[in-house]
């Protein structure tokens, strides 16, 4: 359970910062120029910031996914999420290969970095970035109807 005042009250802000770090990390790959040690350092920093953001954002995402649906729907929701996530990753790899073949590796990385940074616009506009805490899970389907039937 989150400690009040240490992220639980600022869930949306924590998510926004983590996703911002995650989504701007790829820009460092495009900017990696200069002597070899500087390039290697920039690439390491890019992967470090990306995975740091992914780790923090992942905690928030899973917490929201577990708190939002009714318990009876959690398995279906997780299956749909994983299908979209892994299916999107496969399509992303295919698109990256085709784009790299067309405009070159540096151009494809630039397009990917700009696309990642552009997602920040939707993230800032998203209601998730304004959450102050976890939502309460809705009542199980059928529970209210069963209670009404038993009472009535």
């Amino acid at each position: 359970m989150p400690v009040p005042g240490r992220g639980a009250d600022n869930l949306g802000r924590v998510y926004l910062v983590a996703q911002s770090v995650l989504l701007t990390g790829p820009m460092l790959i495009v900017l990696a120029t200069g002597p070899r040690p500087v390039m290697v350092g920039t690439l390491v920093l890019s992967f470090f910031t990306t995975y740091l953001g992914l780790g923090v954002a992942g905690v928030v995402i899973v917490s929201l996914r577990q708190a939002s649906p009714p318990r009876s729907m959690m398995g279906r929701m997780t299956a749909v999420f994983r299908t979209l996530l892994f299916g999107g990753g496969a399509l992303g790899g295919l698109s990256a290969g085709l784009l790299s073949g067309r405009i070159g590796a540096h151009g494809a990385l630039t397009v990917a970095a700009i696309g990642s940074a552009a997602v920040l616009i939707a993230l800032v506009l998203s209601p998730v970035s304004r959450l102050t805490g976890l939502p309460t899970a809705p009542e199980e389907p059928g529970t209210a109807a069963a209670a009404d039937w038993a009472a009535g």
Side-chain angles (χ1 to χ4, degrees), residues 121-151:
I121 296 167
L123 187 62
V124 168
L125 298 174
S126 168
V128 176
S129 64
R130 293 183 293 282
L131 284 175
T132 56
L134 288 173
T136 57
E139 193 171 312
E140 287 289 325
T143 305
D148 289 343
W149 182 79

Side-chain angles (χ1 to χ4, degrees), residues 4-132:
R6 298 243 184 205
D9 297 336
N10 301 314
L11 188 68
R13 191 174 315 142
V14 169
Y15 179 72
L16 180 64
V17 170
Q19 285 283 41
S20 298
V21 169
L22 165 69
L23 293 167
T24 56
M27 190 64 74
L28 292 173
I29 294 174
V30 176
L31 300 175
T33 60
R36 189 180 248 355
V38 172
M39 286 177 52
V40 169
T42 305
L43 292 173
V44 168
L45 182 63
S46 170
F47 282 98
F48 176 77
T49 58
T50 299
Y51 282 102
L52 177 68
L54 183 62
V56 174
V59 170
V60 175
I61 290 167
V62 171
S63 297
L64 286 171
R65 279 198 346 244
Q66 290 180 347
S68 298
R71 261 183 116 49
S72 62
M73 297 294 289
M74 200 171 301
R76 291 181 201 160
M77 181 272 312
T78 300
V80 168
F81 178 81
R82 291 176 63 90
T83 299
L84 293 173
L85 179 69
F86 294 123
L91 291 176
L94 176 63
S95 301
L98 293 172
L99 189 60
S100 182
R102 174 78 67 184
I103 64 173
H106 191 267
L109 284 171
T110 302
V111 169
I114 292 169
S116 289
V119 172
L120 289 174
I121 296 167
L123 187 62
V124 168
L125 298 174
S126 168
V128 176
S129 64
R130 293 183 293 282
L131 284 175
T132 56

